[in-house]
Amino acid sequence: MGGSVSEQSSQKVEERYDLWRLVTFLPNKEVPVHRWFYYKEGFSRELVWNLLTEFGIEGGVVLDPFVGSGTTTLTCMERGIESIGIDTSPLAVLVSYAKTRVYDPVRLETYFESLIRRSPIKVSEEGLRPITMRVFKKPTLLEILAMREHVSEIPEFDYRSFFTLALMRAAMRCSYVYKDGSSIRIVKRHVPPFRPTFRRVVREMVSDVKSIKLLSGPATIIKGDARSMERIEGQTIDAIITSPPYLNKIEYTRVYEVEEDLFLHDTKRESMRSYIGTVPKSLKSLPLDVDGLPDSAIAYLSDMEEVLREMYRVLVSEGTAAIVVAGAVYNQIVVETDVLIAEIAQRIGFEVKKILAVNRRAVTSSRVKKIGEARESIVYLMKP
Ligand SMILES: C[S@@+](CC[C@H](N)C(=O)[O-])C[C@H]1O[C@@H](n2cnc3c(N)ncnc32)[C@H](O)[C@@H]1O
């Protein structure tokens, strides 16, 4: 019964399951600025902090080609290190951009005062998706749309991004959205009124801006595709700390449907096309001699090959990379993504320093029956 793809590999896997929390977003929930957006698929500031120390990075440039909510870039700013983040998702770009600016708290307060003093305006819900209309009480939705209008008139892009993120957080707190793993549920419950909620969120965020110690910044955030990082010149990056989307886990992007509809307009479809692992197998081939891989794993791994080639190109000689990846289970076959990615990296020319297994997740079918265990690991690479 079952089996695993990659058994014939020579890669050794060290086990450090005590570190599991570091590859989750959980520790960030307590940390100023990092906590501005709960990105379920994110990793922790502590992980990035420890890796920077382990790699001995004190200057130079660090890249995260799957920057998500900006954990790598923000942590680099706390350490005084220049950093670049790339992501294909407009939501991730907004969040990571807003979190990695260097704000003047007085200016934030001034903008906020003028936002809440604006007189009411007439807005319409026309063009919104049905789900968005269903998750708010109508007067709340109208207040959110009016505030969105006021925020869009803030002349400075960085400050506009800050208030867009604040408004998005406040709006979601006043909604009936319940994020249930990979989908949205509508849970009719008591929701707080919008204006005091927005005020509270902005106050918390301004207080975080005052308390975080940034030694450098702002970070460079690029909306782009990790498979072709043409905006980054060869041999200019000293280290990469990243975590690609997990194999077989694309559906979680649906949980952000309301945020995207309200605050990111209709950019989603285009960005999903460049989401790794989504192109059908017929267009792809895999640089490994393994049998039994499901089509979607082939699509994913061949995309990851392109990403690894780009990482190799942009890294300086002796540059290091730490990639957090997770395995998956298909029809009772465990795909050991860490080992397969290490194999591909080796063929490209990387030295595989180690594979550290840090987490084990039980994989279940229909939420009940356990069908296998997928390992989550950090793959350490060096460009010789
Ligand atoms: C696991 S998350 C990264 C989370 C991040 N480490 C953090 O702490 O927030 C993976 C990210 O990869 C992005 N992504 C997917 N395909 C991409 C591509 N082709 N190029 C760049 N980013 C991509 C997704 O939008 C997602 O934000």
Side-chain angles (χ1 to χ4, degrees):
M1 212 198 75
S4 78
V5 179
S6 82
E7 277 161 353
Q8 65 279 57
S9 164
S10 60
Q11 307 290 346
K12 297 248 172 333
V13 180
E14 288 173 47
E15 294 182 351
R16 280 297 305 274
Y17 294 120
D18 56 309
L19 299 178
W20 70 272
R21 243 178 148 252
L22 295 191
V23 293
T24 71
F25 195 81
L26 295 175
N28 295 354
K29 286 170 82 177
E30 312 296 325
V31 191
V33 188
H34 286 273
R35 60 182 164 202
W36 284 2
F37 188 87
Y38 178 69
Y39 208 52
K40 190 166 167 269
E41 51 278 18
F43 51 40
S44 68
R45 166 188 185 266
E46 209 178 330
L47 175 76
V48 178
W49 191 278
N50 294 350
L51 286 168
L52 290 171
T53 307
E54 199 176 331
F55 290 164
I57 306 284
E58 277 164 14
V61 187
V62 171
L63 169 71
D64 186 344
F66 299 100
V67 74
S69 64
T71 313
T72 300
T73 41
L74 182 57
T75 310
C76 284
M77 286 168 68
E78 293 179 85
R79 294 280 289 255
I81 299 164
E82 197 185 318
S83 62
I84 305 174
I86 299 177
D87 207 289
T88 185
S89 143
L91 176 74
V93 170
L94 167 69
V95 172
S96 59
Y97 186 87
K99 284 169 67 182
T100 56
R101 298 309 92 196
V102 179
Y103 296 108
D104 172 359
V106 177
R107 190 104 119 248
L108 287 170
E109 276 154 0
T110 313
Y111 274 129
F112 182 59
E113 285 312 314
S114 75
L115 279 177
I116 51 171
R117 260 194 251 111
R118 298 284 298 267
S119 356
I121 51 166
K122 238 184 135 161
V123 284
S124 134
E125 317 134 275
E126 215 175 290
L128 289 176
R129 293 184 202 161
I131 176 87
T132 308
M133 316 263 258
R134 285 172 58 210
V135 299
F136 295 102
K137 287 183 188 152
K138 185 163 174 177
T140 306
L141 181 57
L142 293 177
E143 280 186 295
I144 293 166
L145 292 173
M147 190 54 80
R148 186 180 74 175
E149 225 27 60
H150 298 322
V151 167
S152 74
E153 283 161 18
I154 294 177
E156 290 176 274
F157 187 79
D158 289 5
Y159 289 82
R160 201 154 74 231
S161 304
F162 175 96
F163 285 103
T164 305
L165 180 57
L167 179 57
M168 186 160 93
R169 297 181 60 194
M172 297 318 288
R173 283 189 198 177
C174 303
S175 78
Y176 298 130
V177 168
Y178 178 81
K179 289 176 181 163
D180 185 10
S182 59
S183 62
I184 290 177
R185 272 201 292 139
I186 299 176
V187 178
K188 292 269 162 96
R189 59 186 176 99
H190 170 75
V191 286
F194 169 70
R195 283 178 82 86
T197 306
F198 184 47
R199 184 186 287 275
R200 197 170 325 117
V201 168
V202 171
R203 283 224 178 103
E204 284 163 11
M205 287 172 66
V206 173
S207 142
D208 277 7
V209 166
K210 289 178 181 163
S211 69
I212 194 168
K213 292 214 174 6
L214 300 176
L215 302 181
S216 66
T220 303
I221 301 294
I222 300 171
K223 181 172 184 318
D225 188 335
R227 293 168 302 182
S228 51
M229 305 191 253
E230 51 290 281
R231 287 188 47 196
I232 306 195
E233 274 180 44
Q235 307 199 51
T236 53
I237 301 295
D238 298 275
I240 294 174
I241 298 175
T242 198
S243 160
Y246 287 173
L247 175 56
N248 217 13
K249 279 271 173 254
I250 183 129
E251 69 284 358
Y252 64 60
T253 55
R254 265 191 255 133
V255 301
Y256 303 120
E257 211 179 327
V258 175
E259 286 95 326
E260 272 160 354
D261 189 26
L262 278 175
F263 303 106
L264 298 153
H265 312 291
D266 215 44
T267 41
K268 188 178 175 201
R269 219 161 293 134
E270 171 217 338
S271 71
M272 287 313 289
R273 236 176 278 136
S274 54
Y275 211 91
I276 72 160
T278 53
V279 174
K281 179 207 169 197
S282 56
L283 301 174
K284 299 277 179 184
S285 64
L286 191 66
L288 284 178
D289 319 311
V290 280
D291 297 325
L293 276 179
D295 290 358
S296 55
I298 294 178
Y300 178 86
L301 289 167
S302 53
D303 278 345
M304 278 307 294
E305 190 214 359
E306 288 179 40
V307 175
L308 287 161
R309 279 192 193 286
E310 279 292 82
M311 288 185 179
Y312 192 86
R313 178 183 67 79
V314 300
L315 274 174
V316 296
S317 165
E318 299 197 357
T320 42
I323 310 174
V324 179
V325 297
V329 180
Y330 296 87
N331 301 328
Q332 308 196 339
I333 295 176
V334 180
V335 178
E336 294 182 338
T337 317
D338 49 2
V339 170
L340 293 167
I341 283 180
E343 289 279 323
I344 297 172
Q346 210 162 37
R347 288 181 192 209
I348 289 171
F350 278 109
E351 233 172 71
V352 179
K353 291 304 216 183
K354 62 178 169 183
I355 300 176
L356 202 62
V358 286
N359 202 2
R360 279 181 282 204
R361 285 175 202 231
V363 180
T364 52
S365 68
S366 4
R367 296 158 172 241
V368 203
K369 195 174 147 224
K370 183 171 169 186
I371 54 173
E373 201 167 67
R375 189 170 63 216
E376 206 169 343
S377 313
I378 311 173
V379 179
Y380 290 71
L381 306 173
M382 195 189 81
K383 175 176 172 177

